[in-house]
């Protein structure tokens, strides 16, 4: 059997332009699902062949095989469940054997899904198998339990049009566009570099070495779909990549953006990245230390060992169909003024080894400290400084949570006055009662409505933070998951400082300024926090204050000291 020509096109799921125009009209009559940001990323890679051999969202049989042993029902290797998760309400209205239209956030129809399977997955089992632990500290496990819909749909996809991207259009390539480029350039070997962080000098050294080792051309292939909450936004990252591209030889290096929603699944993610890069025409992929690791678990330990991803990749390399270039940790040797693999430095006792971790880099940016030239390129540092100025110049949110009557509003008001006295940034107080009047007048006090109210507060606070102001919020906010989603919303733009006003229930009930506890005890107020509805106390708030026998001024001053120690206000 003759080999297919190198970089031959791979199958896509799109229909012809003529059929698409016709289908678009017909699909207007179908029930439609509005895709989430993550689902849009998944759908795009299904349609353009990035997720080949998948022909759509997985059937229940494929899903079970993938979760349990990384295999589709036909035996093909695939490590990541790709399903359309929907709400119970939507699922009730659709049946197997039915077509539905899939729309983007603006309502444009991107594809038709022919439903073959509908089921309720065991998400804890999925978390254990795919991510290694059912632990909410993992961003994808948190997504699975707190954001993804409870029902999965599976079935083949008919692609009508790709999602629209208004940014960096010229840098986005489908697998077939990249394959055509490699064909045209005569590149037979291509090594992919997967990244979700800005590139510094160590990465450049690592990519140069990898290309040399594999005697291959280099594809810098950063993820611009979804990465880990708190990562540098992709606009900044792409500007950083563009600043560094000049440092690479143009004839042997190219860059393309990948609209992938990462799961941060470590070992399985590495295998998945390999399959995706093979579909894009690459022959090699760089897998580094702790590839796609999400950081620490609830016990404060790393989710995955530093080389687990390399081990799993190596074990499945033949089935992935692409070679791994494994990389050790690169560090800077001052005396030789160069980067070297950490475990190959024989004279390590006689030389000075320098290294700056991601955490240390963020600290230096936050505090406006020097970032040495041996570590990164001045152009990259300039870009990063533009988007993350020192903390004392950024917006931030102070979020008080505690029982009704604990003293949240009183301390929040005192804090607001103290911050306004200092000046420098506009201050907005989003107090529970004020918000209920202006933002949430139509909401009741059911769990769903409370969550909605807190998410609205979080949204407004994130906008204030993004624009360099200070937001002070003082809702009860009884639920952990909702506070976490607000934290993630805000930490994309600045600091989130959670203050748990830990005044005890009996103290709050003793005060009962508004007479609410009395009514709740009499059963006249349903779902009252602390009486008939739970309050989930924060376990890792930035500050805990108790207002019993302490004056308000002292509590507000404790908050000011905390903000100073975090570098958010100048002492």
């Amino acid at each position: 059997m003759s080999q297919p020509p190198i970089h031959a096109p791979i199958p896509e799921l799109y229909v012809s332009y003529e059929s698409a125009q016709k289908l678009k009209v017909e699909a207007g009559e179908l029930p439609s699902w509005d895709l989430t940001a993550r689902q849009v990323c998944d759908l795009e890679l299904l349609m353009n062949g990035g997720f080949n051999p998948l022909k759509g969202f997985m059937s229940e049989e494929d899903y079970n095989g993938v979760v349990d042993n990384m295999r589709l029902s036909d035996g093909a290797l695939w490590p990541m469940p790709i399903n359309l998760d929907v709400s119970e309400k939507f699922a009730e209205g659709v049946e197997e054997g039915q077509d539905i239209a899939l729309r983007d956030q603006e309502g444009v129809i991107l594809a038709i899904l022919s439903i073959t399977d509908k089921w309720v997955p065991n998400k804890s089992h999925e978390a254990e198998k795919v991510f290694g632990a059912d632990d909410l500290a993992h961003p994808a496990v948190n997504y699975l339990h707190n954001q993804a819909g409870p029902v999965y749909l599976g079935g083949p996809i008919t692609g009508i049009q790709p999602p629209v991207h208004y940014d960096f259009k010229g840098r986005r390539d489908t697998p077939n566009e990249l394959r055509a480029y490699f064909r045209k350039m005569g590149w037979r070997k291509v090594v992919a570099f997967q990244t979700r962080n800005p590139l510094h000098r160590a990465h450049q050294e690592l990519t140069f070495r990898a290309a040399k080792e594999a005697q291959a051309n280099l594809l810098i292939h950063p993820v611009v779909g979804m990465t880990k909450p708190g990562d540098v936004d992709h606009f900044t990252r792409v500007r950083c990549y563009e600043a560094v591209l000049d440092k690479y030889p143009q004839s042997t290096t190219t860059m393309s953006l990948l609209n992938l929603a990462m799961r941060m699944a470590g070992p399985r993610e590495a295998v998945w990245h390999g399959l995706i890069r093979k579909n894009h025409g690459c022959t090699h992929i760089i897998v580094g230390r702790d590839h796609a690791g999400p950081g620490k678990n609830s016990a404060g330990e790393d989710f995955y060992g530093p080389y687990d991803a390399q081990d799993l990749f190596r074990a499945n390399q033949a089935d992935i169909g692409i070679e791994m270039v494994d990389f050790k940790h690169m560090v800077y040797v001052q005396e030789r003024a160069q980067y070297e693999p950490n475990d190959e430095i024989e004279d390590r006792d006689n030389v000075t080894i320098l290294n700056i971790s991601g955490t240390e880099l963020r600290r230096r940016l936050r505090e406006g400290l020097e970032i040495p030239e041996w570590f990164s390129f001045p152009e990259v540092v300039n870009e990063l400084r533009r988007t993350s100025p020192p903390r004392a110049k950024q917006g931030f949110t102070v979020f008080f949570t505690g029982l009704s009557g604990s003293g949240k509003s009183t301390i929040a008001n005192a804090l607001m006055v103290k911050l306004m006295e200092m000046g420098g940034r506009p201050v907005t107080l989003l107090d529970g009662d004020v918000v209920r009047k202006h933002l949430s007048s139509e909401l009741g006090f059911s769990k769903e409505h409370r969550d909605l109210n807190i998410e609205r507060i979080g949204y407004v606070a994130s906008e204030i933070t993004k624009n360099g102001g200070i937001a002070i919020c003082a809702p009860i906010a009884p639920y952990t998951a909702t506070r976490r989603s607000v934290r993630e919303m805000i930490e994309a733009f600045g600091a989130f400082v959670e203050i748990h006003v830990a005044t005890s229930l009996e103290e709050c009930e003793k005060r009962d300024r508004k007479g609410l506890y009395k009514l709740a005890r009499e059963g006249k107020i349903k779902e009252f926090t602390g009486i008939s509805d739970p309050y989930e106390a924060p376990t890792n708030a930035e500050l805990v204050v108790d207002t019993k026998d302490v004056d308000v001024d002292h509590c507000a001053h404790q908050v000011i000291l905390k903000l100073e120690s975090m570098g958010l206000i100048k002492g």
Side-chain angles (χ1 to χ4, degrees):
M1 187 180 127
S2 67
Q3 282 287 314
I6 190 153
H7 304 317
I10 60 165
E12 298 186 352
L13 306 181
Y14 291 111
V15 292
S16 70
Y17 177 77
E18 290 71 29
S19 307
Q21 299 317 98
K22 213 163 74 215
L23 278 175
K24 229 182 239 177
V25 179
E26 292 168 16
E29 304 296 305
L30 297 173
S32 65
W33 173 254
D34 293 343
L35 298 157
T36 63
R38 177 157 123 173
Q39 291 167 349
V40 171
C41 292
D42 286 353
L43 179 65
E44 180 170 0
L45 286 163
L46 281 170
M47 295 193 297
N48 70 20
F51 284 173
N52 185 54
L54 303 188
K55 296 290 177 256
F57 289 105
M58 289 178 180
S59 65
E60 187 174 4
E61 189 187 359
D62 279 337
Y63 163 84
N64 288 332
V66 165
V67 167
D68 290 331
N69 53 26
M70 302 207 306
R71 298 278 166 180
L72 298 166
S73 53
D74 65 3
L77 177 74
W78 190 268
M80 201 59 59
I82 306 291
N83 294 96
L84 189 70
D85 56 279
V86 298
S87 63
E88 261 169 33
K89 191 172 169 216
F90 182 80
E92 278 164 17
V94 296
E95 285 310 316
E96 293 171 0
Q98 186 177 1
D99 286 355
I100 60 170
L102 302 180
R103 297 175 186 263
D104 69 8
Q105 307 285 318
E106 268 79 58
V108 177
I109 296 175
L110 302 180
I112 292 171
L113 167 65
S114 306
I115 303 171
T116 55
D117 295 67
K118 172 172 100 170
W119 75 101
V120 175
N122 175 346
K123 289 185 175 183
S124 295
H125 179 71
E126 180 179 333
E128 283 285 346
K129 298 296 275 188
V130 179
F131 305 108
D134 190 10
D135 179 345
L136 291 176
H138 194 301
V141 176
N142 182 56
Y143 186 94
L144 191 62
H145 288 304
N146 292 322
Q147 283 166 284
V151 184
Y152 284 4
L153 301 180
I157 285 292
T158 307
I160 293 175
Q161 69 176 68
V164 181
H165 297 289
Y166 297 107
D167 57 324
F168 307 115
K169 273 178 169 341
R171 295 246 179 238
R172 294 174 182 270
D173 303 284
T174 67
N176 280 330
E177 285 168 341
L178 270 183
R179 286 167 167 252
Y181 177 78
F182 299 153
R183 257 197 324 271
K184 180 175 161 185
M185 298 297 284
W187 291 6
R188 297 187 71 79
K189 283 184 171 181
V190 184
V191 57
F193 180 57
Q194 140 78 31
T195 174
R196 56 174 245 271
N197 290 313
L199 291 187
H200 303 297
R201 289 188 192 266
H203 302 112
Q204 189 202 26
E205 186 58 40
L206 186 145
T207 51
F208 277 162
R209 283 174 176 246
K212 204 161 143 189
E213 192 175 304
Q215 297 187 320
N217 297 284
L218 177 67
L219 170 68
I220 300 173
H221 209 197
V223 170
V224 294
M226 295 169 75
T227 58
K228 189 178 152 200
D231 278 349
V232 178
D233 70 280
H234 82 264
F235 299 102
T236 303
R237 288 192 289 117
V238 176
R239 290 196 299 269
C240 289
Y241 301 138
E242 290 184 329
V244 179
L245 262 186
D246 298 346
K247 320 271 179 216
Y248 285 89
Q250 249 177 333
S251 54
T252 57
T253 304
T254 190
M255 176 172 90
S256 178
L257 308 182
L258 178 65
N259 197 42
L260 174 71
M262 286 183 67
R263 310 310 204 244
M264 307 305 299
R268 280 198 183 215
E269 183 104 12
V271 171
W272 192 38
H273 288 169
L275 290 163
I276 293 167
R277 287 349 190 279
K278 180 189 68 176
N279 288 333
H280 283 78
C282 301
T283 53
H284 295 70
I285 182 174
I286 297 170
V287 179
R289 197 170 149 272
D290 193 22
H291 184 95
K296 308 272 183 224
N297 63 18
S298 301
E301 287 148 14
D302 288 334
F303 268 97
Y304 311 115
Y307 299 112
D308 287 359
Q310 293 183 359
D311 294 343
L312 191 67
F313 198 104
R314 207 173 280 116
N316 290 282
Q317 188 160 282
D319 283 339
I320 301 170
I322 175 172
E323 282 180 52
M324 170 170 70
V325 185
D326 54 341
F327 256 93
K328 306 296 180 272
H329 190 36
M330 302 294 284
V331 291
Y332 187 73
V333 180
Q334 192 172 2
E335 285 73 5
R336 293 195 273 277
Q338 67 184 19
Y339 276 90
E340 299 177 16
N342 191 23
D343 49 5
E344 289 173 23
I345 303 170
E346 314 240 311
D347 54 351
R348 59 181 329 113
D349 298 339
N350 309 324
V351 293
T352 319
I353 295 173
L354 302 174
N355 184 31
I356 292 183
S357 65
T359 314
E360 171 64 8
L361 172 65
R362 286 190 289 276
R363 184 187 76 88
R364 291 186 182 211
L365 285 169
R366 199 166 59 222
E367 297 179 17
L369 301 172
E370 186 228 1
I371 293 164
E373 267 208 40
W374 63 259
F375 175 73
S376 194
F377 307 99
E379 303 90 326
V380 172
V381 174
N382 289 343
E383 275 305 335
L384 292 173
R385 286 205 195 282
R386 275 173 53 194
T387 18
S388 57
R391 263 202 159 167
K393 293 191 175 143
Q394 286 180 20
F396 63 89
T397 294
V398 181
F399 192 94
F400 290 92
T401 169
L403 295 166
S404 174
S406 57
K408 300 181 300 298
S409 302
T410 320
I411 304 171
N413 273 298
L415 176 68
M416 175 173 75
V417 174
K418 284 179 187 286
L419 289 169
M420 287 168 84
E421 181 189 2
M422 289 179 180
R425 281 174 278 199
V427 186
T428 306
L429 176 62
L430 298 166
D431 185 30
D433 298 341
V434 178
V435 167
R436 284 271 175 188
K437 185 173 157 197
H438 292 292
L439 272 184
S440 299
S441 56
E442 86 289 12
L443 296 184
F445 288 88
S446 65
K447 178 171 194 318
E448 204 179 347
H449 277 192
R450 289 173 170 207
D451 282 345
L452 199 51
N453 183 47
I454 301 304
E455 284 186 346
R456 287 178 188 177
I457 294 173
Y459 171 70
V460 175
S462 75
E463 287 295 311
I464 291 167
T465 302
K466 175 165 80 181
N467 290 293
I470 299 173
I472 303 175
C473 314
I476 294 173
Y479 311 119
T480 308
T482 320
R483 291 194 302 263
R484 174 173 176 157
S485 82
V486 169
R487 177 184 286 271
E488 286 178 0
M489 222 187 294
I490 286 159
E491 283 184 342
F493 307 114
F496 180 82
V497 188
E498 187 174 45
I499 315 283
H500 179 204
V501 183
T503 312
S504 66
L505 181 63
E506 43 279 13
E507 179 66 21
C508 293
E509 203 162 349
K510 226 182 337 195
R511 297 175 187 175
D512 205 7
R513 219 177 34 161
K514 301 177 191 165
L516 298 174
Y517 282 96
K518 183 171 177 296
L519 292 170
R521 290 280 183 206
E522 290 164 3
K524 289 179 185 158
I525 304 180
K526 299 273 174 277
E527 303 184 275
F528 189 76
T529 300
I531 305 293
S532 49
D533 205 60
Y535 176 75
E536 300 169 2
T539 48
N540 52 358
E542 275 72 11
L543 181 67
V544 179
V545 294
D546 188 345
T547 57
K548 194 178 180 208
D549 309 327
V550 182
D551 66 5
V552 174
D553 198 278
H554 175 73
C555 292
H557 190 64
Q558 277 180 281
V559 180
I560 292 281
L561 290 173
K562 183 72 196 174
L563 297 175
E564 273 182 17
S565 76
M566 290 175 75
L568 293 166
I569 52 181
K570 284 262 197 290

